[in-house]
Structures are given as structure tokens and as C-alpha cells.
Amino acid sequence: MAGACHDVLVAHSSASAGALLRHVRTGRARSRAELVALTGASRNTVSARVDQLIAANLLAEGGRGWSTGGRPPTLLRFNSGAGCVLAVDLGVTSVDVAVTDLSAEILATVGHPIDIADGPGPVLAEVDRLAQLVLAEAGLEPVDVCAVGVGVPGPVEHSSGRPSHPPIMPGWHDFPIPSAFGRYECPVYVDNDVNVMALGEMGAAGSVQDVLVVKVGTGIGCGVIVDGRVYRGAQGSAGDIGHIHVSTPDGRVVTCRCGQENCLEALAGGGALLRDAVAAGLPVGSTREVVERAAHGDGAAIELVREAGRTIGTVLAALVNFFNPHRIVVTGGVAQAGVPLLAGIRESVYRRSMPLAARALEITVSAAPELSGRIGAALMAIEGFLDEEAVEQALVR
């Protein structure tokens, strides 16, 4: 009897208005008939809930599908223009702000240099200024914003949107980031930038794979995707691989910004890459210049980037043995070096991972590392706004 009740509850949940909307949004279903087949719910139940979503302007009808006998079905489509979200990708030295529709299509975007160490007041004031610029460019008003997504370069308590002792964000600990977006009177979602990038790499259609998304920039972090969903851990700090201890072959000791010695970030992050390039006599003044030199074939820069990749790969090999992901995707500013970084990572991962774990493993560089933060922040906001429970509440208002 308990099993039967469980089955009824599962079927009911899978046919809620929010679940039906998700199926259409992600392309799993394109008509009422396909929703009936997918959920097992009755035709009347599905039609009633679809009608609610159409009345709420979240779904629209148009066009005819292929017929397998009888009248061709009327196609359903998600109305991505029913609202917009603000997407904020906060970095250590720059911020990108975008406004997107509800399918994460960018309508307007702008970037600007910042110094995250200036603290939340000045930085979030600049974010607010940029948000007003992109809304104006897209012909939108604050009232049109349904949700805000923010990625920050440090650990975050996801439930409250407060950074927690972020090593490279002095003055940000426990600051209520959502409070800076009060003018929009909508939900605000905040997460670690790597988790946000992981969402961006999965895209609007999502995925059912287990994936590691590794950001290599000023810092190093890892977004963990389990069955297509971000895994945050008990307190939201899962994937903080930048502060895993790494032994060096030459016994070198490097102090990290967190105060510990030989953290992965201190040996192979963007700052470490610049430090080692200057020590090697390269005429560079920023990590970006090192990356550009490597991308354009400079031998010394290539070897520095490749060695950073090897160091990162030693940590990723342990994760591969433990987690056994389908894919590893490398993103972030240093990822724009491309082949040298990827070659170093692959060398260590395939050498140190167990054969079974690495047999079908794909390791790739992001197709658009400069966009994944903004797209991910938008998707985080959209998923929160169109969460199954949130949709149900919106329909009964």
C-alpha cells in the first residue's frame, strides 16, 4: 500500500504545472499529447494545467506537429519573452552584467573593471549602475526583472546569499548581497562563480551527466554537476579545490593568500602563472598577457601554461578516481590559452587516474569561457523563478 501511495505522489508531482513547464522549456515535450505520454497523467489534467500556463503567459500555442494518425497536434512553446532576469558575473578585477530573457538569451550586456577588494559597497554600487545601463539598452524597466542571479569569486552560503570567509574578497564576509538589489523587488540568487559557470556550461537544455567544470583564473575552483544538477555539499562549499595541498617535485614552498602553503591556486592559478612568467624573464604585466603569448605560440609561455595544467591535473586525477565523471570542462581566463593548458591537464589526469575511471572520460576547454559566467547566472535566476513550487504559487495568486 505504501508503495502504491508513493507511485501516486510521484505521478502527481511530475504532472504539476511547474513540471509541465519545465518539460516544454527543456524540449522534452512539444504538445499536450507528449506531456501526457511523458508524465502518465490524464489528458484532462494536462490540458487544464497547460491552460493555466497559457493564461499566465508562460506558454503559447502555435503551429502543428506531425500526425501519427488523426488531427495533427497543436505545438506548445515556452514564452521566453514573458520576463527578464539580471545576470551578474563578479570577478576579482572585473564585472560583467547582462539582462536576458527567460531562456538565458542575452539582450544586452556590459563589462567594467573593478577591484573586488574595494568591498561590497563600492563594487555593488557599480553593479547597480551597470544593471541600469543594460536595462535601458534593452528597453526594459526594473519592474520587468523577474529575478537576479549573481556569481561571486568565493564561498557562498547559497540559502542566504552571504559570502563565507572568502579568501580573495576582503570585507565581504557575511554581507547580504541580495539586499543590494532591493529596487527590483524580486528573488535574488547568489552562488560561487564556479557553480554558476557550471550551470552556464550545461546550458538551458541541461544535462543528465556527471560533470566537473573547472575554472582556472585568478583562483581555481570546481563546479560539481551530479545528474545534471549542481552539487553544493552540506554548507555550499563543495568543489573548492583551489586550496587542496599539492607537493612540488623540487620541494618549493609557496604561501597562498589563504595563509596555507602550496595550495593548488598558489602554484597554478593566474597569479602564480604571472609570478612564474616574470621570474622566467617574460616581458608581461598581467596573466592575460601570459595567456595571449601562449595562445600565439610563445615557447616559454606555452611551457609555463602546460606546467600549470600538469599541476592542476594531479588534483583532477584524484577527483576522477573518486567521482568518475563523464566529462571535465575547463573554463575561466587561463582556459583561453587553449591547447597548452589542456595538454598539461590531460597528461596528468590520464597518467594518474585509474583506467576504468578514465576510459571514456572527455576533457575539453569551454567553447565560450568568457560567457559561461553570465549565462550561468541567468540560468540560476531563471531556474529559481520558474522552480516547480514557485510556478505553482504564481498560478494561484
Side-chain angles (χ1 to χ4, degrees):
M1 186 68 180
C5 290
H6 175 74
D7 290 342
V8 169
L9 288 172
V10 170
H12 175 76
S13 175
S14 67
S16 70
L20 298 184
L21 179 63
R22 178 182 295 276
H23 293 324
V24 176
R25 279 203 302 127
T26 57
R28 296 187 68 197
R30 299 184 304 155
S31 66
R32 286 176 168 83
E34 289 183 3
L35 287 170
V36 169
L38 188 63
T39 63
S42 72
R43 186 177 298 274
N44 286 343
T45 296
V46 167
S47 286
R49 289 172 184 165
V50 166
D51 288 342
Q52 283 183 298
L53 292 167
I54 291 172
N57 203 31
L58 292 171
L59 287 183
E61 292 181 303
R64 294 283 184 178
W66 290 100
S67 174
T68 56
R71 190 173 65 179
T74 300
L75 296 179
L76 298 170
R77 64 175 178 82
F78 173 55
N79 181 16
S80 60
C84 69
V85 300
L86 281 172
V88 181
D89 181 17
L90 265 178
V92 175
T93 60
S94 66
V95 60
D96 290 295
V97 179
V99 58
T100 81
D101 65 13
L102 296 183
S103 64
E105 186 75 25
I106 292 177
L107 305 176
T109 185
V110 64
H112 200 268
I114 59 160
D115 184 350
I116 201 74
D118 286 343
V123 169
L124 292 174
E126 178 63 7
V127 169
D128 185 55
R129 183 184 74 83
L130 297 175
Q132 293 181 64
L133 283 179
V134 294
L135 286 172
E137 183 180 338
L140 297 166
E141 301 286 341
V143 71
D144 297 316
V145 178
C146 300
V148 179
V150 185
V152 301
V156 176
E157 185 180 64
H158 183 63
S159 60
S160 67
R162 294 171 181 260
S164 178
H165 301 284
I168 58 176
M169 299 173 66
W172 288 78
H173 171 64
D174 208 34
F175 184 85
I177 292 176
S179 67
F181 299 90
R183 74 162 70 229
Y184 300 104
E185 299 183 350
C186 68
V188 179
Y189 304 92
V190 186
D191 204 350
N192 178 275
D193 58 353
V194 186
N195 287 341
V196 169
M197 286 180 168
L199 284 173
E201 291 297 333
M202 294 303 100
S207 168
V208 294
Q209 290 189 325
D210 299 326
V211 183
L212 297 177
V213 178
V214 182
K215 177 201 173 188
V216 187
T218 303
I220 299 176
C222 181
V224 183
I225 302 290
V226 180
D227 289 335
R229 294 182 175 273
V230 172
Y231 175 76
R232 295 184 173 89
Q235 304 298 332
S237 65
D240 192 1
I241 66 171
H243 299 283
I244 290 177
H245 181 271
V246 179
S247 298
T248 57
D250 59 2
R252 181 172 53 142
V253 175
V254 178
T255 302
C256 181
R257 284 177 294 186
C258 72
Q260 300 296 323
E261 293 179 344
N262 283 28
C263 292
L264 176 62
E265 181 179 299
L267 295 172
L273 195 60
L274 175 59
R275 176 196 66 220
D276 293 347
V278 171
L282 292 182
V284 292
S286 68
T287 303
R288 180 185 296 274
E289 291 177 32
V290 181
V291 169
E292 288 174 351
R293 291 177 77 93
H296 289 92
D298 182 287
I302 286 174
E303 184 50 38
L304 284 169
V305 170
R306 187 189 295 265
E307 184 57 32
R310 291 187 188 107
T311 303
I312 294 165
T314 61
V315 170
L316 294 184
L319 298 184
V320 168
N321 288 335
F322 175 77
F323 182 58
N324 188 201
H326 294 90
R327 289 190 292 144
I328 295 176
V329 181
V330 185
T331 188
V334 178
Q336 295 177 41
V339 172
L341 181 71
L342 195 59
I345 290 174
R346 285 174 170 167
E347 179 184 327
S348 291
V349 169
Y350 290 132
R351 187 177 75 246
R352 293 172 175 268
S353 299
M354 296 299 291
L356 181 59
R359 185 168 65 191
L361 176 67
E362 296 179 33
I363 307 177
T364 60
V365 170
S366 169
E370 72 284 356
L371 281 177
S372 58
R374 277 166 284 176
I375 297 298
L379 287 170
M380 176 171 63
I382 292 164
E383 290 301 318
F385 173 63
L386 296 179
D387 172 79
E388 191 170 332
E389 185 177 331
V391 170
E392 294 297 322
Q393 292 176 350
L395 292 179
V396 298
R397 287 173 188 166

